[in-house]
Amino acid sequence: MDECELITFISAIACTISKCYSEEELELLSALFTQLGDSLATILVRRDFCNKQTSMNTNNETNDYE
């Protein structure tokens, strides 16, 4: 699935969900999905940071023995 297909798919899901729930429920779902996305982004950034730190430490240890 390319980027445009993904956007279309997500928009179709949003439209379908919007027909099934009240405005109050949609507000809650919106907040929940926003928090989910932000939390996943935080996890990914932390993993990337930790991987870079580990890589830097490994490179420094290798350089110490040369």
Side-chain angles (χ1 to χ4, degrees), residues 9-64:
F9 176 68
I10 293 170
S11 294
I13 291 172
C15 289
T16 301
I17 289 173
S18 73
K19 294 177 183 178
C20 299
Y21 294 95
S22 69
E23 287 186 15
E24 291 83 12
E25 292 168 321
L26 290 173
E27 288 174 1
L28 178 59
L29 286 173
S30 176
L32 292 172
F33 285 122
T34 296
Q35 181 177 355
L36 174 63
D38 290 346
S39 295
L40 291 171
T42 301
I43 290 167
L44 289 171
V45 167
R46 184 181 180 283
R47 284 182 183 173
D48 185 51
F49 176 79
C50 289
N51 289 338
K52 287 179 181 173
Q53 290 295 104
T54 301
S55 177
M56 285 175 41
N57 290 340
T58 302
N59 288 339
N60 287 338
E61 289 172 7
T62 303
N63 291 336
D64 288 343

